[in-house]
Amino acid sequence: MWAKFSQIWKQKDLRASLLKVLLLLVVFRIAAHIPIPGVDLANLRAFFQSNQLLGLMNVFSGGTLDNFSLVSLGVGPYITASIILQLLGMIVPALEDLQKEGEQGQRKINQYTRYLTVPLAVLQAYAMISLLKQSSGVITSLDAIQLATTLLAMTAGTMFLVWLGELIDAQKVGNGISILIFAGIVTSLPRLTQQALLTYDPSKLPIYIAFLLVAVLTVAGVVVISEAQRNVPVTYAKRVVGNGTAGGANTHLPLRVNMAGVIPIIFAISIVLFPPMVAQFFVRAKTAWLADAANWVLVASQNQLVYGISYFVLVFAFTYFYTAIVFKPERIAENLQKQGGYVPGIRPGKPTADYLTYTVNRITLAGAAAIAAIAILPLLVQQFLTGSQNLVVGGSSLLIIVSVVLEIVRQVESQMTMREYDYDSIK
């Protein structure tokens, strides 16, 4: 391990990229400690600890919500906007054409995502303020000017984090949005550990042991699923080049069981949190059926069975959804055909694309089911234990941490491999 660190440190440009990412994370944590006035932080943290859904929301925001900081919304509105546009890309021809235009089209979609993030951030900020107003002692009354200023500040904080995430993306050592969420969770671990030690009760020893077992199983499960892959054999036909021949090599095409990484978890949490946030607007509606529907959504969001089923289904569905976005079997089949490669027993072209689609769908079924099961594993443990409300939040945090670390390791190893090839070509 230390040899790897030494090797990374010796790569000047890779070292510079990692230091830039660390600097950007420091900026993020500084912003996370700039509180918005008018909030009783002690009552706010007690309120969050009493509500599992709000605890999950705090995890999703990167640990910035429990002190109601300038960036308290986190990157949630941006992720929601991204989901909306990706779904619209399947039914709106203009967006579908942009997705096919490669890098230029993706830049345009990213621009639309930022535009949509602004109204979603305002909506979520207002819903959060409305929720805290209903909780006694958390937030003081705000007049119109103070409310507008708070909404503007929280929206600006979200867009600031989006900008930081794009700067991290540019360093090519991981997904910027995922790393921001990861950093928020990691920085909250010392405080959570201190609280656990100060409130240690020997009678709750089974809960601590259960949490430790769930943590070990989660880490092991995520590592196994993330590293597992199906190797599709590929053969390259021999070609006559001048007076000799080229090709004829046998290799394989690696297809990962979980190509989507941590994105399905983040997407699922975003969707789970969105209905209760919207329902806050209609709790006191004058129309009876609308108020009843809003209250039903809020009550359902606290139901363990509804939460568990929703979380499982969303993680499962988003794993398939994101895999369909990042994996393009037609393009891979076309490239193989151009390079003279083929899968033994499969005709080049469309039959190869159909075979790859069939194979990916089969292995993704196992990957999606495994990740979804790991996601709700803490919830299942909680059903057999009392006083373990934060177990689910801890499980979601651990799932994100392990997935993001694996993604960063893969990205760094990819960068190192690329630099080794560049160095060899120069020699």
Side-chain angles (χ1 to χ4, degrees):
M1 182 180 69
W2 294 113
K4 274 288 185 185
F5 282 130
S6 175
Q7 190 177 358
I8 292 172
W9 190 255
K10 290 177 181 178
Q11 299 283 347
K12 184 177 180 181
D13 48 352
L14 184 57
R15 181 176 72 237
S17 296
L18 292 174
L19 290 176
K20 288 177 184 176
V21 170
L22 290 176
L23 179 61
L24 292 171
L25 292 179
V26 170
V27 173
F28 162 56
R29 294 314 304 168
I30 291 174
H33 286 84
I34 303 176
I36 294 176
V39 178
D40 189 317
L41 296 182
N43 289 336
L44 177 67
R45 287 168 184 163
F47 182 51
F48 271 58
Q49 290 175 358
S50 66
N51 189 304
Q52 175 180 294
L53 187 65
L54 292 177
L56 189 63
M57 190 182 301
N58 184 47
V59 168
F60 186 54
S61 69
T64 60
L65 202 53
D66 59 357
N67 59 354
F68 211 65
S69 67
L70 183 66
V71 293
S72 55
L73 294 181
V75 290
Y78 178 79
I79 294 174
T80 304
S82 177
I83 296 172
I84 292 173
L85 282 176
Q86 288 178 358
L87 291 174
L88 288 176
M90 297 182 173
I91 58 177
V92 178
L95 287 175
E96 187 177 1
D97 292 340
L98 281 177
Q99 290 177 348
K100 296 178 181 178
E101 291 181 7
E103 186 176 349
Q104 184 177 357
Q106 190 59 46
R107 282 201 299 266
K108 199 71 174 177
I109 292 175
N110 289 340
Q111 186 177 1
Y112 292 153
T113 305
R114 296 187 205 102
Y115 291 154
L116 184 58
T117 299
V118 175
L120 287 177
V122 174
L123 179 72
Q124 188 170 331
Y126 185 77
M128 178 56 61
I129 292 173
S130 300
L131 175 64
L132 295 181
K133 277 185 177 181
Q134 296 174 17
S135 177
S136 59
V138 173
I139 192 169
T140 58
S141 58
L142 299 175
D143 57 32
I145 296 178
Q146 290 174 327
L147 177 61
T149 303
T150 302
L151 292 177
L152 179 62
M154 295 175 72
T155 303
T158 293
M159 298 311 297
F160 176 69
L161 289 188
V162 171
W163 179 62
L164 286 183
E166 291 178 352
L167 292 179
I168 293 175
D169 279 337
Q171 306 307 317
K172 300 186 183 302
V173 291
N175 182 281
I177 300 300
S178 301
I179 289 176
L180 289 177
I181 297 175
F182 162 81
I185 296 172
V186 170
T187 52
S188 66
L189 291 180
R191 177 172 56 83
L192 295 176
T193 303
Q194 183 183 18
Q195 289 178 354
L197 293 176
L198 292 176
T199 59
Y200 173 74
D201 183 355
S203 63
K204 293 184 178 180
L205 184 61
I207 296 177
Y208 292 111
I209 296 176
F211 180 80
L212 182 60
L213 291 176
V214 169
V216 172
L217 289 175
T218 299
V219 172
V222 174
V223 171
V224 169
I225 296 300
S226 298
E227 296 301 311
Q229 64 184 34
R230 164 76 181 276
N231 293 329
V232 176
V234 175
T235 299
Y236 288 91
K238 291 184 178 181
R239 305 189 306 273
V240 177
V241 180
N243 295 326
T245 61
N250 293 321
T251 182
H252 64 268
L253 178 67
L255 300 178
R256 290 194 173 276
V257 173
N258 179 29
M259 296 185 186
V262 72
I263 299 299
I265 304 295
I266 298 175
F267 277 12
I269 295 175
S270 177
I271 297 300
V272 165
L273 296 178
F274 191 69
M277 294 297 295
V278 175
Q280 296 294 332
F281 289 99
F282 305 103
V283 172
R284 299 180 181 178
K286 294 181 180 180
T287 306
W289 68 268
L290 190 59
D292 291 340
N295 284 310
W296 181 85
V297 170
L298 291 176
V299 172
S301 65
Q302 298 298 318
N303 185 285
Q304 298 292 334
L305 180 61
V306 173
Y307 166 79
I309 294 175
S310 301
Y311 197 19
F312 182 92
V313 171
L314 286 171
V315 172
F316 187 91
F318 275 122
T319 302
Y320 264 100
F321 172 70
Y322 199 76
T323 299
I325 292 176
V326 299
F327 183 74
K328 305 294 183 184
E330 294 83 5
R331 187 179 303 170
I332 294 175
E334 182 182 353
N335 291 336
L336 284 175
Q337 190 173 13
K338 289 180 179 178
Q339 296 168 6
Y342 62 92
V343 178
I346 307 295
R347 293 177 63 86
K350 189 176 184 304
T352 298
D354 293 340
Y355 172 77
L356 292 177
T357 301
Y358 172 74
T359 304
V360 167
N361 286 338
R362 288 178 61 194
I363 63 176
T364 302
L365 174 63
I371 290 296
I374 293 171
I376 65 168
L377 180 61
L379 183 63
L380 298 177
V381 174
Q382 183 181 0
Q383 299 304 310
F384 301 97
L385 300 173
T386 57
S388 56
Q389 182 166 312
N390 290 328
L391 197 59
V392 177
V393 176
S396 300
S397 302
L398 194 60
L399 193 59
I400 293 174
I401 288 174
V402 176
S403 299
V404 172
V405 167
L406 289 174
E407 184 179 356
I408 292 173
V409 169
R410 277 197 294 267
Q411 291 272 3
V412 171
E413 287 181 345
S414 160
Q415 293 286 328
M416 292 177 62
T417 303
M418 183 180 66
R419 284 163 175 78
E420 287 175 3
Y421 280 130
D422 291 342
Y423 178 74
D424 291 340
S425 64
I426 292 174
K427 289 177 65 179

